[in-house]
Structures are given as C-alpha cells and as structure tokens.
Amino acid sequence: MHPSTKAIRTQINRTDEMEHATPMFLTSSFCFDNAEDMRAAFADESDDNIYSRFSNPNVNEFTDKMVALEGAEGGFATASGMSAVFGAFMALLKKGDHLLSCSSIFGSTHTVIKKYLPNFGIEYSYVAADKPGDWEAAIRPNTKMIYVETPTNPGLEVIDLEMLGALAKKHNIILNVDNCFATPFGQRPIEYGADLVVHSATKWIDGQGRVLGGVIVGKKELIHEIYLFCRSTGPALSPFNAWVLSKSLETLDVRMERHAKNALAIATTLEGHEKLSFVRYPFLNSHPQHEIAIKQMKNGGGIVCFELKGGLDSGRNFLNNLKMLSLTANLGDTRSIASHPASTTHAKLTEEERRSVNITPGLIRISVGLEHVDDILADILQALDKS
Ligand SMILES: *Cc1c(COP(=O)(O)O)cnc(C)c1O
C-alpha cells in the first residue's frame, strides 16, 4: 500500500456495532475476563490493553499510522512534541553520555539540552547547520546520540541526512531526527539511516491548530526502551487527541501538497522584493542547501522565511500591518501565521546569540496556510508596503 492509503486505511478492529469510522475509547483502563488473561497481559504475553498510560486503541491507531508512514518498526505517542523529544533523551541517555546536536534547534529542545540534561550528567555539544564538515570531528568516544531537526525552526536550514546516517552508522551512534517541519509525506529520515524519528503532531499532523501531541517512531529495541520509560513516567497521549490526530493523518498528504504549493508560489513571488534582503525556502534555487533539500525532500514544506531590510522595527511594523494572517505561536495550520522570532520566541537571547543561530533582527517566519494563495500574498504585500 502507498503511504497515503496507509494513512487512511490503517484502522483498529471494528467493534460489534460495525462502525465505519473509529470510535473514541475514552477509558482509563481495560477489563479482563479472568485472572489468567490479566496475568498474561501484565507479563507481556498478550497485546491486550491494560491502562491508558501504557496503551489505548485510539493511541495505537495513531501510532500504527505514523510507524507505517515513516517506515519504522515501532512507536510510542506522547502528549506533546516536547514529551517525545524528552522521552527519547531520558530513555536512551545516561550519566556520562554525550549528545551531539545542532545549534539551530527548536527553542524548547535547546532548553532541555542546555538546562536539564546536564543535571543528569549528560554532556552535549553543537555543530552549526552551515558547517556540515564539522560533524565527524565533534563526535566523542562517549557520543551516544546525534539529534537534529531538518529543515530547522525558524531558520529553514537543511541538514544532509544521508551524510549523518552514514556517520552515525560508522561510529555506532543513534541518529534521532525531528521530522516536524517536513512531515513523513515530505521526507522519510529512516530511509537515510535514522534510527529514531520524533514529531510534534501539534503542527502539520493535526494541521488545524486543535490539539497537542507527539510521537517517536523507529527501531524496535530503541522504541521498547522508550516505551518502558514513558509507561512508567506518564507522558501518554490522550485518547481524544489521538482520535483527532489519526483522523488528521487521513488528509495530511493532500494538505501538505497544497501547503507546499502555496509556499513555493509565495517564496517565488517575494524573492527580489525591494523591502527584503533575502527570502528562504528549501525549494528555491537560491537556498544555501538547495541541492540537499531536493535530494531528501519531496517538497519544500509549508514554511517561508524572509528578512526585512529595516530590521527589528520593520519586523514589528510588518506584524502590526497584517490584516488576515494570524499572530500566534503555532505553525502548521490551515490559517496562515506570521511570527517575528527576534521580538518574541527568541527575544531573551542576546543579539549575538540570535545571530549565531541565524535569527536576524528582521526575520519573519510565515506558516503558509490553505487560504487561496492570492489572498495570503495580498496580505503579505500590503503589510510589506507599510513596513
Ligand atoms: C513545536 C515543535 C516542537 C515541540 O512540539 P510541541 O508539540 O509544541 O511540544 C518540537 N520540534 C519542532 C521542530 C517544533 O516546531
């Protein structure tokens, strides 16, 4: 079956009601007919659900779809993208291990790595996204995991997954990739040697800004460790959110096709605009890692970035003059969203720290929605005129 078919046709068994769509299983726990069945479930001798912190039919359906879409062996779904990121770190890293990551990384992930991992005796270091030659030299004897996201948030840098997959294999290191921006319909990191893939399902997977969720998929033995950690520590995805997310996966392929088509049209139109010093989108020829992007991605995704020549003040003016686009912290929604990282998500960093992760004063990130592309463009262009 093709991935788009799997996203639609992967379904838990029907109940006696013979429903067509999956019902919601809003239950904390599951019953057993007798003591022997219960013993077998607790001894891992059966697949029976026990308690919704461990597993639940709705959560299983969502997880099974994600496993199929990413080409993985197993998975575990979590309450948010960050609990997926943290769960994978804590289940697999221990005191004395080293985590190698990239300086361009989602803000909360950076906080987890920098502020909390050292509390557990876990070392870390970063390689810059635009220095692909630095990865091998940065590997230490105790490097246990390489963790990257590509394209990066918000700078849209692209990291070569084939190169990292080969490096991780050669040095026997776990390669863990945050595939949130591309989605499994845009990029499949496991085909390039990733051992684990994490997602914030809150973004494109939900796609309508309704629920939080996350998921980790990958190699069976690694997922088993993550499962044991998560089932004891409790970041389980709620059955209701899993039901929403599983339904969302049925339309992810067609939604991403249109998001990417709109984004490419917007990036192409804006490139060369007199108020902008650059426009960045992975599928523009001018993107610094365009060759890598077209090698590993099926489309350029739904995020476009550009830099206003007027810097910080122009960035704020641009947001203030938008009429339709939403000013909100989310991305990956049917509704187009604009954000200005230098005055919001990354305002606490110094100017120099922001520059080191390519967040320039006038950088604007657009999450391109599913409105008509002409309406999105018209709003951006009139706001640019006034900024
Ligand atoms: C949003 C995001 C996360 C965190 O996901 P939540 O669902 O908000 O916890 C992780 N990685 C990337 C790239 C994101 O954009």
Side-chain angles (χ1 to χ4, degrees):
M1 273 196 226
H2 290 80
S4 53
T5 311
K6 284 182 187 166
I8 292 168
R9 286 285 169 183
T10 302
Q11 210 168 351
I12 50 170
N13 293 334
R14 291 202 170 101
T15 72
D16 291 343
E17 301 294 339
M18 293 299 284
E19 67 282 350
H20 190 203
T22 303
M24 275 187 217
F25 291 88
L26 298 183
T27 177
S28 322
S29 64
F30 301 83
C31 294
F32 296 90
D33 280 339
N34 54 61
E36 173 50 25
D37 286 358
M38 198 163 182
R39 183 208 62 78
F42 274 83
D44 276 339
E45 290 167 18
S46 79
D47 289 336
D48 291 347
N49 294 302
I50 300 171
Y51 188 60
S52 287
R53 169 151 48 81
F54 310 170
S55 68
N56 170 285
N58 292 119
V59 177
N60 297 348
E61 183 183 282
F62 169 65
T63 310
D64 287 349
K65 286 185 183 183
M66 288 303 301
V67 166
L69 292 182
E70 290 286 4
E73 296 169 2
F76 189 85
T78 55
S80 68
M82 285 320 301
S83 50
V85 170
F86 186 63
F89 288 166
M90 295 315 287
L92 299 171
L93 300 174
K94 61 179 191 317
K95 188 176 164 191
D97 286 342
H98 171 244
L99 173 75
L100 182 57
S101 188
C102 174
S103 45
S104 303
I105 198 102
F106 182 66
S108 297
T109 307
H110 173 66
T111 304
V112 167
I113 292 175
K114 189 180 152 180
K115 187 167 173 197
Y116 295 107
L117 292 190
N119 289 347
F120 298 93
I122 299 161
E123 300 167 23
Y124 75 93
S125 61
Y126 288 142
V127 169
D130 58 357
K131 300 252 167 40
D134 288 1
W135 285 99
E136 186 149 29
I139 293 171
R140 303 176 187 174
N142 59 340
T143 304
K144 180 83 184 286
M145 182 186 287
I146 296 177
Y147 180 80
V148 293
E149 67 193 45
T150 178
T152 62
N153 182 8
L156 289 182
E157 289 154 297
V158 174
I159 298 172
D160 190 339
L161 290 176
E162 189 176 16
M163 178 272 291
L164 278 189
L167 211 56
K169 192 163 182 214
K170 179 175 160 195
H171 294 273
N172 198 22
I173 296 167
I174 298 164
L175 176 60
N176 184 357
V177 177
D178 180 336
N179 201 25
C180 174
F181 265 37
T183 85
F185 286 107
Q187 163 179 288
R188 305 216 311 165
I190 289 172
E191 289 173 358
Y192 295 97
D195 303 290
L196 291 172
V197 173
V198 299
H199 277 281
S200 166
T202 315
K203 314 292 172 54
W204 303 106
I205 289 177
D206 172 47
Q208 298 184 42
R210 299 295 200 281
V211 301
L212 294 184
V215 65
I216 316 154
V217 300
K219 293 230 167 85
K220 215 181 186 123
E221 62 283 7
L222 299 177
I223 292 295
H224 187 64
E225 287 303 316
I226 291 166
Y227 164 73
L228 293 177
F229 176 80
C230 289
R231 108 175 211 170
S232 298
T233 54
L237 178 62
S238 89
F240 176 78
N241 285 9
W243 181 88
V244 173
L245 292 170
S246 182
K247 180 175 71 64
S248 296
L249 284 177
E250 296 176 24
T251 55
L252 183 62
D253 192 16
V254 285
R255 284 189 285 112
M256 289 317 295
E257 227 176 84
R258 179 64 72 83
H259 281 294
K261 190 174 161 217
N262 283 356
L264 180 62
I266 287 166
T268 308
T269 308
L270 292 181
E271 196 164 42
H273 189 285
E274 56 173 7
K275 292 271 175 80
L276 305 178
S277 51
F278 67 77
V279 175
R280 197 174 301 140
Y281 183 68
F283 270 35
L284 281 184
N285 283 324
S286 58
H287 188 285
Q289 296 103 24
H290 178 65
E291 289 304 314
I292 302 167
I294 55 174
K295 178 180 74 173
Q296 69 194 25
M297 297 173 76
K298 266 201 269 174
N299 59 56
I303 306 284
V304 176
C305 288
F306 50 79
E307 171 71 13
L308 285 150
K309 284 179 186 164
L312 203 66
D313 288 343
S314 289
R316 292 166 57 95
N317 279 340
F318 175 78
L319 290 196
N320 284 335
N321 283 306
L322 287 166
K323 293 189 170 120
M324 182 181 81
L325 268 67
S326 314
L327 311 188
T328 180
N330 200 14
L331 63 93
D333 198 303
T334 52
R335 288 157 283 213
S336 296
I337 296 164
S339 69
H340 179 223
S343 71
T344 58
T345 47
H346 294 73
K348 287 202 190 80
L349 306 188
T350 64
E351 171 97 30
E352 197 188 349
E353 282 173 321
R354 279 196 291 269
R355 290 231 176 247
S356 74
V357 292
N358 285 329
I359 293 168
T360 40
L363 186 76
I364 299 287
R365 184 190 74 190
I366 306 284
S367 169
V368 178
L370 299 180
E371 305 98 334
H372 194 288
V373 65
D374 293 348
D375 293 326
I376 307 170
L377 251 178
D379 196 27
I380 293 173
L381 289 172
Q382 66 81 23
L384 278 181
D385 270 350
K386 296 176 193 147
S387 44

